[in-house]
């Protein structure tokens, strides 16, 4: 057995603290090194040599207006598309998976194939197939950028399906739903008060992946002539690569804050649970000065 693995303990063959630290360190470097390289690139003074903050100050002194204002608009478009894609996933994919899992288990394989299929289709082929659909959509409801959420809902389908299905396999949703129905709950209460809380981790993981995919998507928006963050950054980089990198760092911070907000909304309330456990624990009870048990 490898020396870096534990043979005893609560979890068998769990990696040691050193191995976990090394893994987290390597993964952290993969993310941190490109960000530090971007920051270093924006601080260069060109042929003069050295570093300063003049590019950052010039950008913020202008208030991100004028020629860079479309980037802010594009950032708002991408955030709106991310939220719309998550809404499509929650309103269509989750109820469909629960319905198939509870009522039509024979269709699980078919649903899996349908949901995984988009990952095997190149983006250019997907755009060619979606173009006639979007032309009809444009005639009916307009050609706003929000229509891209329909295409992004298909793009994130394989990732969201896998994340939710992994959680769904570990929960006996049929027994939970039958128990709730036996106690008189309607299907709405069963879905919102019983099943969704038990699938919170999978739904949250699917939402994370959906937001990450939408904020980094370029091909579909570019080929369908829609403006999102990535297409706007490409336009800016042709004139000023330094400003494009600065705006990319700002967009990265916004995406990180958005993912943290989603994580906070979906995280369990540990403080309240910990207080309840502490209050009910016999070790926290006030000791009896006489030594007798209460």
């Amino acid at each position: 057995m490898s020396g870096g693995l534990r043979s005893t303990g609560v979890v068998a063959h769990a990696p040691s603290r050193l191995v976990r630290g090394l893994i987290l360190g390597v993964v952290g470097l993969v993310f941190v090194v490109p960000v530090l390289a971007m920051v270093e690139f924006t601080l260069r003074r060109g042929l003069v040599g050295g570093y300063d903050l003049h590019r950052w100050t010039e950008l913020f002194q202008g208030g991100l207006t004028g020629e860079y204002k479309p980037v802010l608009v594009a950032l708002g478009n991408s955030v709106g598309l991310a939220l719309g894609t998550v809404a499509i996933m929650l309103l269509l994919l989750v109820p469909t998976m629960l319905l198939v899992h509870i009522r039509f288990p024979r269709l699980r394989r078919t649903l899996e194939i349908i949901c995984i299929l988009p990952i095997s289709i190149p983006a250019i082929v997907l755009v060619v197939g979606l173009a006639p659909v979007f032309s009809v959509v444009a005639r009916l409801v307009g050609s706003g950028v929000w229509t891209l959420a329909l295409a992004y809902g298909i793009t994130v389908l394989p990732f969201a399906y896998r994340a939710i299905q992994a959680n769904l396999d570990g929960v006996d949703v049929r027994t939970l739903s039958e128990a709730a129905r036996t106690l008189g709950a309607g299907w709405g209460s069963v879905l919102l008060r019983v099943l969704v809380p038990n699938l919170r981790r999978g739904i949250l993981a699917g939402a994370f992946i959906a937001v990450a995919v939408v904020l980094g998507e370029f091909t579909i928006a570019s080929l369908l002539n829609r403006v999102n963050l990535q297409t706007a950054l490409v336009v800016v980089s042709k004139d000023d690569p330094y400003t494009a990198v600065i705006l990319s760092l700002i967009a990265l911070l916004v995406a990180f804050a958005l993912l943290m907000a989603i994580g906070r909304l979906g995280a369990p309330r540990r403080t309240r649970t910990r207080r309840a456990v502490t209050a009910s624990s016999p070790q926290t009870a006030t000791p009896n000065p006489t030594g007798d048990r209460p």
Side-chain angles (χ1 to χ4, degrees):
M1 181 180 294
S2 174
L5 299 179
R6 292 179 180 176
S7 58
T8 61
V10 178
V11 180
H13 306 295
S16 65
R17 180 176 298 179
L18 177 61
V19 174
R20 293 198 300 269
L22 289 175
I23 294 174
L24 291 177
V26 172
V27 174
L29 286 176
V30 172
F31 289 98
V32 171
V33 169
V35 175
L36 293 179
M38 294 170 68
V39 174
E40 190 270 342
F41 178 72
T42 60
L43 298 179
R44 291 179 186 174
R45 296 177 58 185
L47 298 178
V48 179
Y51 299 95
D52 58 21
L53 295 171
H54 77 278
R55 292 191 178 90
W56 288 78
T57 55
E58 289 177 357
L59 180 62
F60 285 106
Q61 284 176 353
L64 293 176
T65 57
E67 58 180 333
Y68 301 123
K69 187 175 181 180
V71 178
L72 294 180
V73 177
L75 178 60
N77 292 341
S78 291
V79 173
L81 287 171
L83 297 178
T85 305
V86 172
I88 291 175
M89 183 194 71
L90 295 179
L91 296 178
L92 294 181
L93 181 60
V94 176
T96 303
M97 292 180 66
L98 289 173
L99 181 65
V100 170
H101 200 86
I102 296 173
R103 287 296 186 89
F104 308 103
R106 293 182 178 179
L107 297 178
R108 288 182 57 182
R109 187 63 179 168
T110 304
L111 179 64
E112 181 181 4
I113 294 174
I114 293 174
C115 291
I116 300 300
L117 190 60
I119 201 172
S120 62
I121 301 175
I124 182 65
V125 177
L126 190 63
V127 171
V128 171
L130 288 175
V133 179
F134 270 80
S135 64
V136 176
V137 173
R139 287 197 297 269
L140 295 177
V141 295
S143 59
V145 70
W146 65 269
T147 56
L148 273 181
L150 303 175
Y152 290 163
I154 299 174
T155 305
V156 304
L157 197 58
F159 311 103
Y161 174 82
R162 281 301 185 193
I164 298 173
Q165 184 63 41
N167 194 178
L168 195 60
D169 291 336
V171 179
D172 192 353
V173 294
R174 177 175 293 182
T175 302
L176 290 175
S177 61
E178 290 177 353
R181 291 286 294 168
T182 303
L183 295 174
W187 278 112
S189 297
V190 173
L191 177 64
L192 298 178
R193 302 180 65 180
V194 178
L195 299 181
V196 170
N198 282 282
L199 299 175
R200 175 187 297 175
R201 183 172 298 179
I203 295 174
L204 186 61
F208 268 109
I209 297 173
V211 171
V213 170
V214 172
L215 291 182
E217 202 284 326
F218 171 78
T219 306
I220 296 177
S222 177
L223 294 177
L224 292 178
N225 294 322
R226 302 297 196 276
V227 177
N228 68 353
L229 178 62
Q230 302 303 321
T231 58
L233 289 178
V234 170
V235 173
V236 173
S237 66
K238 293 179 181 178
D239 296 330
D240 189 349
Y242 295 100
T243 302
V245 175
I246 294 174
L247 294 173
S248 299
L249 288 171
I250 296 173
L252 190 63
L253 291 177
V254 172
F256 182 74
L258 182 61
L259 292 176
M260 290 294 293
I262 295 175
R264 294 286 298 176
L265 290 175
R269 298 178 180 178
R270 297 180 178 178
T271 304
R272 186 174 300 177
T273 306
R274 188 180 306 165
R275 288 177 180 174
V277 172
T278 304
S280 61
S281 174
Q283 297 178 355
T284 59
T286 303
N288 192 342
T290 62
D292 299 334
R293 291 185 177 181

